[in-house]
Amino acid sequence: VQLQASGGGLVQVGDSLTLSCVASGGTVSTTVMGWFRQAPGKEREFIAAISGTSVGIYYDDSVKGRFTISRDNAKNTVTLEMNDLKPEDTAIYYCAGGLWGGFASLQNIHFWGQGTQVTVSS
């Protein structure tokens, strides 16, 4: 499976942005999908994850209430809607797929997308 992330860009503080991740080469309908980000000089960190059925959804506290993850299994797509963006949200955002059990700790990740840059200017 290959993941293609898109939707990044340069925005102002308080703006919104929506990232998309499209899977190809196989179905991800039963796969846990999520988003991570990596700021310059920092480690990659977990942002959000969603189960195959969309019943299980988890967010890091840093984005809870501002970001919304969703998926459309018919389109093999996972989306991250980001609202009220802050300068500290500036990072390269990666989508990923895998299994629960350490997913937020970057364990059990089976495939990664290539990343899309999000820059929030103050």
Side-chain angles (χ1 to χ4, degrees), residues 7-17 19 40 82 85-93 116-122:
L10 172 63
V11 297
Q12 302 294 316
V13 169
D15 282 353
S16 298
L17 205 58
L19 306 182
M82 306 184 295
L85 284 163
K86 307 176 185 298
E88 53 263 40
D89 294 319
T90 295
I92 299 175
Y93 284 69
T116 184
Q117 176 72 48
V118 172
T119 303
V120 184
S121 173
S122 57

Side-chain angles (χ1 to χ4, degrees), residues 5 12-13 19-20 22 28 35-36 43 46 58 61 66 71 75 102 108-109 120:
Q12 302 294 316
V13 169
L19 306 182
S20 295
V22 180
V28 293
W35 290 91
F36 297 76
E43 295 185 351
F46 168 77
Y58 300 94
D61 287 344
R66 299 189 299 123
R71 66 189 297 161
K75 297 181 179 179
N108 275 328
I109 304 295
V120 184

Side-chain angles (χ1 to χ4, degrees), residues 92-112:
I92 299 175
Y93 284 69
Y94 299 89
C95 60
L99 301 174
W100 291 127
F103 189 88
S105 301
L106 282 73
Q107 299 174 31
N108 275 328
I109 304 295
H110 294 174
F111 29 84
W112 291 94

Side-chain angles (χ1 to χ4, degrees), residues 56-68:
I57 295 178
Y58 300 94
Y59 299 98
D60 182 77
D61 287 344
S62 64
V63 304
K64 198 173 295 182
R66 299 189 299 123
F67 291 12
T68 302

Side-chain angles (χ1 to χ4, degrees), residues 30-69:
T30 61
T31 301
V32 174
M33 299 295 294
W35 290 91
F36 297 76
R37 67 186 179 189
Q38 187 166 17
K42 294 187 177 181
E43 295 185 351
R44 194 169 297 188
E45 63 178 9
F46 168 77
I47 294 299
I50 185 169
S51 67
T53 61
S54 299
V55 170
I57 295 178
Y58 300 94
Y59 299 98
D60 182 77
D61 287 344
S62 64
V63 304
K64 198 173 295 182
R66 299 189 299 123
F67 291 12
T68 302
I69 188 171

